[in-house]
Amino acid sequence: MFARAYATSIRPISLGRQLIGLLDASADHQPLSGSYVIRMQSSDLAAFVDVKAHLIRELVIAATQHCEKQGYEYNEPFSVVLEDDEAIKAGTFQILPQLTPKITTQPVGSASASASATSARPIEEVAEIVSTPVTAINAALVLSTGQRINLSGENMKIGRHATCSVIFADSNVSREHAQLINSIDGWSIVDLGSTNGTKVNGVKIAGQKLLMTGDELAFGTSTARFEVS
C-alpha cells in the first residue's frame, strides 16, 4: 500500500487484519456472513472519506481471497459498510457481521451531531458518502490472444523470465519488464527499467501509473488491456 497520512490512529491494515481474524474465528459456523459493518467515531470515519471506495474495495477483496484460500464457504458476495458510532472510543473500531447493510444517520441538532461539529465533515455527509456497500471487484489483464489473466496479491511482475507472473515470449520484452502493484488506490503499473519501456494508452510511463479499466498497456511490442469487473 502507498504511504498515506491519516487524521486518525486507525490504519487500513488494522481494519483488514481484524476482518480476516473475524472470518477465521467464525470458520466453525459456515457458511460465513458476507455482510459486515465497521463502526467508529465520526471523527475517525471522516478521515477515510476521500479514500472510502478504495478502502472498502480492498477489504472486500481481502476477505474474498482469504475465504477462497482457506476454503471457507460464504452465503453471499462480500460487502462492507462504514458507520459512525459515538459510543466507540476515538481511535478504535468494531467490526460485526450483519444480515442487511444499513445506513445510520444522526438527526441535525442532536447532542451527538453537535459533538461532531468539529470533525472534517458533518456526520450526515459522512454517513451518506461511506455507507454504500461495495461488492467484490475483479481485475484482469486481457492479452492480444484473448487470454485473460486474473490479478491477485499485492504485486505481479511482467516480463520474459519464467519467474514473472505474466510472461511474454517476446525478445522486445525485458526479463523483468514491469510490475503491477495493488494498493488502497487500486492497481498501478511501474516500469522496471526495461529496454523498450512500458506504455499506457500509447504514452510511455516515467513513474508509477494508476490504471483505469480499459487502459491499453504495451510492453515492447506485446500488448494487454486492463479490465475491472
Side-chain angles (χ1 to χ4, degrees), residues 1 6 10-20 48 55 59 93 154 184:
M1 289 187 179
Y6 291 92
I10 299 174
R11 295 293 178 264
I13 192 169
S14 299
L15 299 175
R17 285 174 176 170
Q18 184 161 317
L19 178 58
I20 296 302
F48 294 109
L55 173 60
L59 292 172
F93 60 91
E154 294 184 357
I184 196 169

Side-chain angles (χ1 to χ4, degrees), residues 63-80:
T64 302
Q65 291 181 344
H66 182 72
C67 285
E68 291 177 352
K69 180 178 180 181
Q70 298 299 323
Y72 296 160
E73 296 181 7
Y74 44 99
N75 56 19
E76 59 185 324
F78 280 98
S79 65
V80 175

Side-chain angles (χ1 to χ4, degrees), residues 16-215:
R17 285 174 176 170
Q18 184 161 317
L19 178 58
I20 296 302
L22 181 57
L23 294 173
D24 289 337
S26 305
D28 291 336
H29 305 285
Q30 298 186 47
L32 303 177
S33 171
S35 299
Y36 292 85
V37 56
I38 302 177
R39 294 174 179 156
M40 62 185 75
Q41 278 204 9
S42 58
S43 57
D44 291 314
L45 191 60
F48 294 109
V49 166
D50 292 339
V51 296
K52 62 95 181 180
H54 302 300
L55 173 60
I56 292 175
R57 181 177 66 173
E58 290 298 309
L59 292 172
V60 166
I61 291 175
T64 302
Q65 291 181 344
H66 182 72
C67 285
E68 291 177 352
K69 180 178 180 181
Q70 298 299 323
Y72 296 160
E73 296 181 7
Y74 44 99
N75 56 19
E76 59 185 324
F78 280 98
S79 65
V80 175
V81 176
L82 304 183
E83 292 184 354
D84 60 87
D85 188 338
E86 298 308 311
I88 295 178
K89 183 180 178 181
T92 65
F93 60 91
Q94 183 182 52
I95 302 180
L96 296 171
Q98 62 175 18
L99 296 178
T100 304
K102 61 182 181 179
I103 298 177
T104 301
T105 57
Q106 187 70 38
V108 176
S110 68
S112 294
S114 297
S116 63
T118 58
S119 61
R121 296 194 180 190
I123 188 171
E124 294 82 3
E125 185 177 353
V126 170
E128 178 183 356
I129 290 175
V130 303
S131 295
T132 303
V134 177
T135 53
I137 295 176
N138 298 311
L141 285 185
V142 181
L143 307 187
S144 59
T145 60
Q147 180 184 0
R148 186 180 185 88
I149 300 176
N150 293 324
L151 307 185
S152 62
E154 294 184 357
N155 58 74
M156 298 178 69
K157 284 187 178 180
I158 299 170
R160 201 174 69 248
H161 197 272
T163 58
C164 292
S165 302
V166 182
I167 302 172
F168 287 102
D170 180 352
S171 61
N172 292 297
V173 175
S174 297
R175 288 169 61 84
E176 291 189 346
H177 195 105
Q179 182 165 282
L180 290 164
I181 300 172
N182 189 10
S183 77
I184 196 169
D185 292 316
W187 284 95
S188 299
I189 192 165
V190 61
D191 187 80
L192 297 178
S194 66
T195 301
N196 295 309
T198 299
K199 294 181 180 179
V200 177
N201 298 323
V203 180
K204 184 177 290 189
I205 61 174
Q208 192 162 308
K209 171 71 173 177
L210 184 65
L211 297 176
M212 305 294 290
T213 188
D215 279 348

